[in-house]
Amino acid sequence: MSGSERDVEAQPSVRMRDVARALGVSVSTVSRALSQPDMVSVETLERVGEMAARMRYRPNLAARDLRTRTTRTLLVIIPSFSPLFLEIFRGAEREAVRQGYSVLMAHSGGDADREHVFLDQVLSQRADGIVLVTTADPARLAERQPSLPIMVTAVDTISGIGAPNMRIDNVAAARAAVEHLIGLGHRRIAHIGGPSDSLMARDRAQGFADAIAAGGLEPAHCPILTGAVTLATGEALMARLLTRYPRPTAVLAANDELAVGALQAVKRDGLRIGADISVIGFDDLRFGMLYDPPVTTVAFDKVELGRLAMAALIARIEGRSDVVDATLPTRLVVRGTCAAPAAP
Amino acid sequence: MSGSERDVEAQPSVRMRDVARALGVSVSTVSRALSQPDMVSVETLERVGEMAARMRYRPNLAARDLRTRTTRTLLVIIPSFSPLFLEIFRGAEREAVRQGYSVLMAHSGGDADREHVFLDQVLSQRADGIVLVTTADPARLAERQPSLPIMVTAVDTISGIGAPNMRIDNVAAARAAVEHLIGLGHRRIAHIGGPSDSLMARDRAQGFADAIAAGGLEPAHCPILTGAVTLATGEALMARLLTRYPRPTAVLAANDELAVGALQAVKRDGLRIGADISVIGFDDLRFGMLYDPPVTTVAFDKVELGRLAMAALIARIEGRSDVVDATLPTRLVVRGTCAAPAAP
DNA sequence: ATGAAAGCGCTAACAT
DNA sequence: ATGTTAGCGCTTTCAT
């Protein structure tokens, strides 16, 4: 009880052997009764079940996993607790449970090292596969090439590793959002983007730039600012935009969190949302919907994205038909933060 | 490749034995080099390290776990993805990583069965211990008594199982919040509470009732309504309160989500927040702070709560001094949703 | 400092 | 339908 070493109050831990002895049968009989019920007589089945319950027997999964080389446990790695990723997780989890797998979530915090620690958990047979929602470092992942776990990626794709990917078309979605603003009459539209090491952020910025070019807007009036995906960043970057002359009349934010931050800056400056500055966000997060006014945003079925990713993972694990990539549709949800620009 | 059975493209999977052979040493030497570096010669240490890396050797953790009866992995079970629980998880995770453990999150969805599935993961040696953040069914948990995993509870306590508990004093915190309202001059104060099968919700309701009694307010004018902890519930219950005569002038909500829902109902009815209806929430969630006006709320250090729980868990696992319960302080954060009631 | 051998608790041939 | 046996890949005595 003194040292700092492992010294748990040794639970005697009932083993299969103990149950077998108590019943006067062999371990294999118990094993079969427990996992292949139709291979034993009804009577033994019943006796074993009863005794196992009475003795509070719990299988040692480490032993079973070692023997069967399978865990029926899957990992979902998310980079942060953003509602976007949590919704995706929810979909993935539901599908896995439906198919009889356990799911555990790991949180990389965007740290490549920690991400790899979790990948190793699969290679080390603690789990059967991984749904990787966005990666901290695609290049490093591709380098690991020969020793990658069974994996499906969601949101960001990783080229060259042959992992199925479930995504939305961020470029097209961003373009459509900007086109909506142009349609309203905006000519000076800025982009508040996520960090440039994020593929998703880069794609959204790309779509923004495409639409600006296609619409023939003056690029000098349509700046792209980037930063971390936080409220504070959205607010700071918008504050910077508001000092420009001529001021942009609309902003596409790379997600709803940045959008809300931006809107806070607009409010703080005493400008009118819509009339003075229009804002569009991304991902349709609930707190954007609750904002006053509710944020216009690019929406898609996040739960379904997770579900598809998990279904693809399980299909791979079970050796079923290789599922190919999927791209889910997006749609612009028009709410209260956009209007035609006031006459210049 | 056809059937639906397990049939993964058999990764040859390098074993320790393979590394040993390649080096012409015994498995024990490799094992020692990898986990007890000071028991082998510097030269062997180096050669083994190199070869293991070159062969991309990954230890089979199922085998190691089986042998050592430990996993260095801990589970945190949360009932939902509410920011409250996610913050607690964040604190727990940080502490575990700091102490060299892996953490995985499991999500019970408030379902007692799923909760027990995860508890069994520990009994089945897939993890070393559990931080249980709130439980779906304390009674059932207590019944499992002799076969419970090493566990620490956060938020809700479970009596009679001897698990350390990290919490806040919900009764006192709720009472203090109501006293604040009474201090502002309110005499008709309602409570929008969480489900009565939640201990946390019951405690908050209790604190509410205590304060009403202590303040000598007319109980008939201070109703307690309860429901699920969702925005929609908050809105619906507030709508109901607004039809009462005489109308309450203030509401204590059991958390910020209910509070925001309630505020939405107030807005929709064209009443003034503060002047007509004051609202206090609980938990200091970010989206309450962002609301317009920002929600007055009961705050506490959620991350620290998680950290403490995890520290206590690890201490138990490592057989160190039994950590006792802890109660963290709360404080009322006064923001924009409270004012003195308009003259009646 | 290293090797040989035993065994963690389970499942899966192989017998009977 | 049940029992016997042989490992899964690792760590850890016990020898040397």
Side-chain angles (χ1 to χ4, degrees):
Chain A
M1 279 296 138
S2 60
S4 71
E5 260 331 291
R6 198 151 304 268
D7 175 21
V8 184
E9 60 270 27
Q11 288 253 9
S13 172
V14 182
R15 293 145 306 165
M16 199 175 261
R17 189 205 314 189
D18 302 321
V19 179
R21 276 196 189 133
L23 246 33
V25 300
S26 75
V27 255
S28 356
T29 301
V30 177
S31 172
R32 282 191 278 254
L34 260 30
S35 43
Q36 310 177 57
D38 28 308
M39 287 198 63
V40 298
S41 75
V42 233
E43 199 212 327
T44 0
L45 180 59
E46 199 166 297
R47 290 180 60 215
V48 170
E50 224 161 68
M51 183 59 81
R54 206 152 68 71
M55 298 179 73
R56 295 176 182 279
Y57 166 75
R58 307 281 167 180
N60 181 324
L61 294 183
R64 176 187 292 171
D65 295 349
L66 174 58
R67 182 62 227 235
T68 62
R69 316 178 140 288
T70 193
T71 64
R72 291 203 76 83
T73 297
L74 273 12
L75 244 47
V76 177
I77 305 182
I78 62 176
S80 80
F81 291 135
S82 158
L84 166 61
F85 303 127
L86 290 173
E87 289 294 300
I88 293 174
F89 174 80
R90 209 191 292 274
E93 182 188 43
R94 188 176 307 167
E95 178 65 17
V97 167
R98 198 180 67 75
Q99 298 206 37
Y101 286 80
S102 286
V103 188
L104 294 170
M105 178 201 285
H107 164 240
S108 71
D111 177 335
D113 285 335
R114 299 204 37 217
E115 189 173 298
H116 285 264
V117 167
F118 292 120
L119 296 189
D120 286 339
Q121 294 260 331
V122 177
L123 294 178
S124 296
Q125 332 249 14
R126 276 262 185 74
D128 296 348
I130 284 197
V131 171
L132 180 58
V133 184
T134 304
T135 180
D137 191 344
R140 184 165 155 205
L141 219 45
E143 274 168 25
R144 272 185 66 145
Q145 188 60 285
S147 62
L148 279 176
I150 300 187
M151 185 163 77
V152 170
T153 59
V155 183
D156 287 351
T157 185
I158 302 168
S159 52
I161 63 169
N165 174 248
M166 308 297 137
R167 62 165 163 273
I168 58 168
D169 187 338
N170 283 299
V171 179
R175 195 170 20 189
V178 174
E179 279 161 5
H180 175 74
L181 291 170
I182 294 177
L184 285 172
H186 292 276
R187 289 294 170 269
R188 296 191 304 277
I189 307 173
H191 180 53
I192 295 183
S196 49
D197 59 2
S198 151
L199 177 58
M200 175 169 69
R202 284 204 309 274
D203 280 350
R204 290 174 182 184
Q206 182 63 55
F208 171 84
D210 288 358
I212 296 299
L217 306 203
E218 170 58 44
H221 290 159
C222 300
I224 295 182
L225 275 54
T226 65
V229 183
T230 67
L231 226 46
T233 303
E235 196 163 345
L237 294 183
M238 178 57 107
R240 209 147 94 206
L241 285 173
L242 294 180
T243 66
R244 287 178 68 105
Y245 185 83
R247 205 166 59 196
T249 61
V251 168
L252 173 68
N255 89 336
D256 280 0
E257 182 149 3
L258 289 168
V260 167
L263 289 164
Q264 292 282 75
V266 173
K267 278 190 184 178
R268 219 188 32 202
D269 257 37
L271 295 172
R272 293 161 303 168
I273 292 170
D276 293 319
I277 304 276
S278 291
V279 173
I280 295 183
F282 237 104
D283 297 342
D284 191 24
L285 307 184
R286 202 182 55 170
F287 88 148
M289 188 184 67
L290 286 176
Y291 196 75
D292 189 12
V295 180
T296 294
T297 193
V298 176
F300 59 98
D301 192 337
K302 302 176 277 293
V303 172
E304 175 67 3
L305 192 72
R307 199 192 65 70
L308 282 174
M310 184 54 83
L313 178 64
I314 294 177
R316 287 204 110 195
I317 287 176
E318 297 186 346
R320 279 188 268 112
S321 66
D322 272 41
V323 181
V324 287
D325 299 8
T327 302
L328 264 59
T330 62
R331 67 184 190 289
L332 186 69
V333 178
V334 177
R335 293 203 272 246
T337 54
C338 293
Chain B
M1 280 293 139
S2 59
S4 70
E5 261 331 293
R6 199 149 303 268
D7 176 20
V8 184
E9 59 270 26
Q11 289 254 8
S13 174
V14 183
R15 292 144 306 165
M16 197 174 262
R17 187 206 313 189
D18 302 320
V19 178
R21 274 195 191 134
L23 246 35
V25 300
S26 75
V27 258
S28 351
T29 300
V30 177
S31 172
R32 281 191 278 254
L34 260 29
S35 44
Q36 310 176 60
D38 29 306
M39 287 199 62
V40 297
S41 74
V42 230
E43 198 212 328
T44 347
L45 180 59
E46 199 167 295
R47 289 180 61 217
V48 170
E50 224 162 69
M51 182 58 84
R54 205 153 66 70
M55 297 180 73
R56 294 175 183 281
Y57 166 74
R58 308 279 167 182
N60 182 323
L61 295 184
R64 177 186 291 171
D65 295 348
L66 174 57
R67 183 59 227 235
T68 62
R69 315 174 143 291
T70 193
T71 64
R72 292 202 74 83
T73 298
L74 273 12
L75 244 47
V76 177
I77 306 182
I78 62 175
S80 79
F81 292 135
S82 158
L84 166 62
F85 303 128
L86 291 173
E87 290 294 300
I88 293 174
F89 174 79
R90 208 191 294 275
E93 181 188 44
R94 187 177 307 166
E95 179 65 17
V97 167
R98 197 180 69 73
Q99 298 206 37
Y101 286 80
S102 287
V103 189
L104 294 171
M105 178 202 285
H107 163 239
S108 71
D111 177 336
D113 286 335
R114 298 204 39 215
E115 189 174 298
H116 285 264
V117 167
F118 293 120
L119 297 188
D120 285 339
Q121 294 259 331
V122 177
L123 293 178
S124 295
Q125 331 249 13
R126 276 260 185 74
D128 296 349
I130 283 198
V131 172
L132 180 58
V133 184
T134 303
T135 180
D137 190 345
R140 184 163 154 205
L141 219 44
E143 274 168 25
R144 273 186 64 144
Q145 188 59 283
S147 62
L148 280 176
I150 299 188
M151 184 164 78
V152 170
T153 59
V155 183
D156 287 352
T157 185
I158 303 168
S159 52
I161 63 169
N165 174 248
M166 308 296 139
R167 60 162 164 276
I168 58 170
D169 187 337
N170 284 298
V171 179
R175 195 169 18 184
V178 173
E179 279 161 6
H180 175 74
L181 291 170
I182 294 177
L184 286 172
H186 292 277
R187 289 293 172 272
R188 296 191 303 277
I189 308 173
H191 180 53
I192 296 184
S196 50
D197 59 2
S198 150
L199 178 58
M200 175 170 66
R202 283 203 309 275
D203 280 350
R204 291 174 182 184
Q206 182 63 55
F208 170 84
D210 288 357
I212 296 299
L217 306 203
E218 170 58 45
H221 290 159
C222 300
I224 296 181
L225 275 54
T226 65
V229 182
T230 66
L231 226 46
T233 303
E235 196 163 346
L237 294 184
M238 179 56 109
R240 207 147 93 206
L241 286 172
L242 294 179
T243 65
R244 286 178 69 105
Y245 184 83
R247 204 165 61 197
T249 61
V251 168
L252 173 68
N255 89 336
D256 280 2
E257 182 149 4
L258 288 169
V260 168
L263 290 164
Q264 292 281 74
V266 173
K267 279 190 184 178
R268 218 187 33 202
D269 256 38
L271 295 172
R272 293 160 303 167
I273 292 170
D276 293 320
I277 305 275
S278 291
V279 173
I280 296 183
F282 237 104
D283 298 343
D284 190 24
L285 306 185
R286 203 182 54 171
F287 90 149
M289 190 184 65
L290 286 175
Y291 196 75
D292 189 12
V295 180
T296 295
T297 191
V298 176
F300 59 98
D301 192 337
K302 302 176 277 293
V303 172
E304 175 67 3
L305 191 73
R307 199 192 67 69
L308 281 174
M310 184 55 83
L313 178 63
I314 294 177
R316 287 203 109 196
I317 287 176
E318 297 185 347
R320 278 188 270 111
S321 66
D322 272 41
V323 180
V324 287
D325 299 7
T327 301
L328 265 59
T330 61
R331 66 184 191 289
L332 187 69
V333 178
V334 176
R335 293 202 274 245
T337 53
C338 292

